[in-house]
Amino acid sequence: MSAEAETLADAAPALPVGHYAYDQVDRAFLHDRVEQFRDQVARRISGALSEDEFKPLRLMNGLYLQLHAYMLRIAIPYGMLDSRQMRELAHIARTYDRDYGHFTTRQNLQFNWIRLEDTPDILARLASVDMHAIQTSGNCIRNVTCDQFAGAAADELVDPRVHAEILRQWSTLHPEFSFLPRKFKIAVSGSPHDRVAARFHDIGLVAKPGHGGKVVFDVFVGGGMGRTPLVGVHLRDNLPEEDLLAYLEAMVRVYNEYGRRDNIYKARIKILVQALGAEGYRARVDAEFAAMDRARYRLPPETVAAIRARFGTPDLAAPAGAAESLAAARAADRAFDRWARTNTHPHRHPGYVSAVISLKPDGGIPGDATAAQMDRIADLADRFSFGEIRITHMQNIVLGHVRQDQLHALWQDLRAVGLATANIGLIGDIIACPGLDYCSLANARSIPIAQKLSARFASPELQETIGDLQIKISGCINACGHHHAGHIGILGVDKKGEEFFQLTLGGSAGNDAAVGQILGPALPEDATVDAIARLVDAYLVHRNTGERFLDTYRRLGAALFKDAVYAVA
């Protein structure tokens, strides 16, 4: 470890737990960036810049112009933030928006009712807590995502946050990749169980120990959803850590050179990989890789250690009997026992669990949190999880390190603010994009049908009886709600000015990644809700003991469910 890294490691207790600590160079950069944008906004408001001239400037700062107002998308690198950052987000929601924010499938946060003239002040407030909105839009490498249980999961082989941070630094304002053919998304996992939808990303990386314990990566490329949904190609195994940046540089260079720019719908890397074939794309990457100055791009262990040293680490020490204390609380309180069963994840350290806070209350809007709830979550993170907070691509929130003997107290506090819904991984844990209520690209509203389905299946007992069943809803073919990867996917379509919803079945974002298949004609909103209820009933009747919905569908095929959906439609 370098002298700098040793110094930083010595200072670890003062670092924010869970995410990378900025230094003064980082902060000065953000400050300069905010002032640059402040001038650009002033010139737009004065008329010195036209909307056409201003648009690329605002997109570089995460600012969209949606149906009713400006939308600001804020980067949360690999979904990690701390309590002071969450409180700042709450303040912005309360002061500049309509008292809430929307957590997205990219582990970002969106504010939907922003005034243009307020944007520089908002970005300045974000910069004051080491946050920004850079590269949350545009044809560049977007927010790198990773496992919401990183650094905590019992099944983890490699902590992916360090490499996600390295990729963030490599990709942010990369001079060669600022104007790619289209947006570009990378996900990193360090677990053998894919919790990042790696196979549905432009590049998916799965880290694992290689020979001698050195970190290596399995690499997937060309996955994605949208109008051409595809599962990524397995490009190679055992990419050495020291070659990570060089190899990804080669991969993106090939895309940048050969990717189509004449047709926005054919511009993603998945189209290029399909056009070249896996072998053709691999050959071009290998040729680029071989021609590179590898020493220039080498990622040495000292650099990885220095980055790792900028992450605060929790002091995990649970009292003896923590597990027994949790067991006693669960035995005494059935509601808590249900929540603990569905909303916790095994931790690598004895006496701890990761707790998932559902942002999907019965009949609620998936991913939305009020300013008061954000403040409360920050308070609970300070009290129960070292001030650390994680955003999931399933639009929920995780407290990564909760002592088992304190879990009941956490649940009681969550229940007091309406955040103790016990539905993680169940049918009520619905993903949904903002849809036509906000988005200028959408064809249909995602939120109302999500609310109706949530209300229809609100019974905790029914949800547990149904078991693992994921519903994912998109308001248009761009698939921000990941409907292609839903066990039941719902796509909003427009038919002569009326909103209809098309069902897909059999999608999965995990190790068994698959694109859902269209079941049949689209249905009106209320008919869709009723049809899904009949579909679920059919599953309950025909499943084998212990069989997930996805397994039943794969065993029996679509005909049974098609009959159920369209029988009375």
Side-chain angles (χ1 to χ4, degrees), residues 342-344 356-359 396 421-426 429 463:
T342 58
N343 289 45
T344 61
V356 185
I357 301 172
S358 173
L359 293 183
N396 294 309
T421 308
N423 62 5
I424 298 303
L426 305 179
D429 188 10
Q463 292 200 49

Side-chain angles (χ1 to χ4, degrees), residues 122-260:
I122 296 171
L123 292 178
R125 295 203 66 102
L126 290 172
S128 73
V129 292
D130 305 335
M131 298 186 78
H132 59 79
I134 298 168
Q135 291 192 193
T136 58
S137 60
N139 294 331
C140 55
I141 298 173
R142 300 288 186 90
N143 191 35
V144 176
T145 56
C146 86
D147 186 350
Q148 63 268 27
F149 301 117
D155 64 352
E156 185 171 272
L157 302 175
V158 174
D159 184 346
R161 291 172 299 176
V162 175
H163 299 94
E165 171 60 27
I166 289 169
L167 294 179
R168 184 190 73 83
Q169 296 189 22
W170 164 74
S171 63
T172 299
L173 303 183
H174 192 301
E176 192 173 340
F177 303 144
S178 293
F179 296 98
L180 293 168
R182 280 287 281 141
K183 58 187 174 183
F184 201 90
K185 299 178 179 178
I186 300 173
V188 190
S189 172
S191 164
H193 303 103
D194 187 352
R195 289 186 287 265
V196 301
R199 294 155 181 82
F200 274 112
H201 278 74
D202 295 305
I203 295 177
L205 300 170
V206 179
K208 61 185 182 182
H211 182 69
K214 293 183 177 179
V215 174
V216 297
F217 297 87
D218 292 344
V219 182
F220 298 86
V221 66
M225 301 187 205
R227 66 184 61 234
T228 309
L230 291 165
V231 174
V233 171
H234 181 204
L235 193 63
R236 65 164 293 174
D237 283 329
N238 301 321
L239 172 67
E241 180 183 71
E242 66 176 18
D243 288 332
L244 176 64
L245 295 184
Y247 196 73
L248 262 62
E249 186 101 3
M251 291 177 71
V252 186
R253 278 185 183 177
V254 170
Y255 167 56
N256 202 22
E257 180 176 0
Y258 294 98
R260 291 182 61 174

